[in-house]
Amino acid sequence: MNHPASPHRATKNVTSTHSVFGAPCWVSLTSRDLEATEGFYTAVLGWQWQRARLGDRFRMALADGTPVAGIAAVASMWQMAVAWTPYFAVPSADEAASRAQERGGTTAVGPLSLPPGRAALLADRDGATFGIWEGELVADWESWRESQPAFIRLHTRDAFDAAIFYGEVLDWASEHAGCCQVHYEGGEVVLRSRGDIVARISSGALGSAPDPTIRPHWQVHFAVADVSACTRAAEKHGGSVLSKGGDEAVLRDADGAQFTVTSRRER
C-alpha cells in the first residue's frame, strides 16, 4: 500500500478528498523487488523515481515531473498479491470501509493512519480489490488527472450490480457537490468526474447473463505515445504481452502484475 500524498508537502495546489470524493485519486503497485520494478517501468513507461515518506520500501513514480503512481515493495512482507490497485477519494475511510462491509465487501488492510490521511484496502462483493484514501492528494492533483493513468476499468460479472455497490460505498451520483456521475454508454457503465471519464465498469453485452468465468478485477490503463514501443520494451525487460490491438495492449510486468497501455489519442 502506498498513499497518494506527495513526498514533499506543498503549500499550494493541495486538494483534499473532501472536494473530489468518490473519484479515482491514485494507483499503487505492490512489488517483491523494488529495484527490478523501477527498472521495468522506467524502460516501458519512461518513469523517474522519488523516495516516498513511508520508508525505503516505497517509491513515487514521476512522468515528466508529475507524480503518477506509487510502488510498495511489500508483497512478500505482507503476503499480498503483486498487483496494480486503484484508490478512490473518500471523506472518511472508516465510514467507506463500514459501508463496503455492510454491502458484502471485505476489508483486507486498514483503515490505517498514513499521514497526511487514512487508507484501507478493500474488496467488493465479487472479490475485485480496490483502495480508499482520506486526506490530502498529490500536490497539484488536477495535473495528475491530466497525466497518467488515463483511466481504470472494472472487469466484472454484473456491471450494474457493481455500479450499485460502488455508488453506495463512494457516494456516486449523490446530492453531494463534486460527486461522480454514472451513465451507461457504449455497452459499459461509465464514471465521470467533473466531466472527464475516470473509470469504466464492463461485464459484457446488455441483457446477457453474468459470465461465471470472469475473475473480477480493476485494470489500470496508462496513456502512452507509442503502444508498440511499450510492448517491445516489456518483452525485452522480462515482461509479457497478454493481448494487443492497434491502440491498446495488456501487459504483464516481470513480477506478474497486469496493466494496460493505451494510446494517448484514445483517452
Side-chain angles (χ1 to χ4, degrees):
M1 182 187 298
N2 194 353
H3 68 78
S6 170
H8 304 292
R9 184 182 297 271
T11 58
K12 62 180 181 178
N13 297 328
V14 173
T15 303
S16 166
T17 58
H18 288 78
S19 61
V20 296
F21 62 88
C25 64
W26 193 240
V27 291
S28 182
L29 172 65
T30 49
S31 166
R32 297 187 184 93
D33 186 329
L34 192 60
E35 183 176 347
T37 298
E38 287 184 4
F40 178 87
Y41 286 97
T42 295
V44 176
L45 298 177
W47 286 350
Q48 304 87 44
W49 304 92
Q50 276 186 352
R51 180 170 295 183
R53 289 191 219 170
L54 294 179
D56 291 339
R57 291 180 177 269
F58 300 86
R59 292 291 186 274
M60 190 83 68
L62 308 176
D64 298 324
T66 299
V68 293
I71 309 294
V74 297
S76 298
M77 180 176 67
W78 291 355
Q79 297 184 334
M80 298 174 66
V82 173
W84 278 102
T85 302
Y87 280 75
F88 294 85
V90 295
S92 169
D94 294 273
E95 182 177 343
S98 294
R99 288 182 182 180
Q101 289 179 317
E102 289 168 359
R103 289 158 178 81
T106 57
T107 300
V109 179
L112 301 174
S113 293
L114 298 172
R118 288 175 64 73
L121 190 64
L122 312 175
D124 67 24
R125 51 190 169 218
D126 286 321
T129 301
F130 67 102
I132 52 174
W133 171 254
E134 168 197 350
E136 293 180 7
L137 302 176
V138 291
D140 198 5
W141 182 74
E142 291 295 342
S143 293
W144 179 85
R145 292 212 322 167
E146 294 302 318
S147 184
Q148 298 175 23
F151 60 87
I152 57 176
R153 175 181 275 116
L154 175 63
H155 297 271
T156 190
R157 301 185 184 98
D158 187 331
F160 293 100
D161 182 72
I164 291 171
F165 172 87
Y166 286 95
E168 292 178 343
V169 172
L170 302 173
D171 271 331
W172 292 349
S174 67
E175 74 281 3
H176 299 294
C179 73
C180 293
Q181 298 302 312
V182 181
H183 304 279
Y184 186 76
E185 304 174 18
E188 296 179 312
V189 174
V190 175
L191 184 71
R192 292 180 181 270
S193 175
R194 302 181 184 180
D196 296 326
I197 296 176
V198 292
R200 300 175 185 268
I201 302 177
S202 177
S203 61
L206 179 64
S208 62
D211 185 350
T213 65
I214 292 177
R215 182 184 65 81
H217 67 284
W218 283 98
Q219 187 84 353
V220 178
H221 294 238
F222 295 106
V224 299
D226 189 333
V227 170
S228 294
C230 291
T231 62
R232 292 192 297 270
E235 291 178 317
K236 182 178 179 180
H237 290 83
S240 57
V241 179
L242 302 182
S243 66
K244 185 178 184 299
D247 296 304
E248 189 170 279
V250 180
L251 308 179
R252 178 180 286 136
D253 69 20
D255 212 11
Q258 291 187 27
F259 63 103
T260 298
V261 289
T262 302
S263 173
R264 289 190 188 278
R265 62 179 178 272
E266 295 299 311
R267 290 186 60 180

